[in-house]
Amino acid sequence: MKFESVPSKKPRIGVYISEELKAKAEIVAESESRSLSNWITVLIEEAVERAESEGKIKFDD
């Protein structure tokens, strides 16, 4: 499955991971019909929500 690149004004982050981990992550993302970037975003959102619900972090809205 090929994903189109859409320009975004969202902030970018860069990470270094092994080729093996990237390849495996791409397979998981594709199995969920997501781009790798979107899949990673979902993982981060879930981790932040979990940390908030566990009281590890708190943000004033």
Side-chain angles (χ1 to χ4, degrees):
M1 175 178 283
K2 187 171 181 159
F3 297 96
E4 279 189 41
S5 178
V6 178
S8 175
K9 294 184 180 184
K10 293 179 182 179
R12 294 178 56 126
I13 60 171
V15 297
Y16 294 97
I17 60 173
S18 69
E19 288 289 333
E20 180 182 6
L21 180 57
K22 181 178 181 275
K24 289 178 179 180
E26 287 173 328
I27 292 168
V28 176
E30 186 173 333
S31 75
E32 296 182 12
S33 299
R34 297 182 180 276
S35 67
L36 181 58
S37 178
N38 178 260
W39 182 71
I40 291 168
T41 299
V42 170
L43 292 179
I44 294 170
E45 288 170 347
E46 290 172 349
V48 169
E49 288 173 9
R50 188 171 47 253
E52 285 180 302
S53 69
E54 294 173 356
K56 292 180 179 178
I57 58 173
K58 183 176 180 180
F59 293 99
D60 295 325
D61 292 334

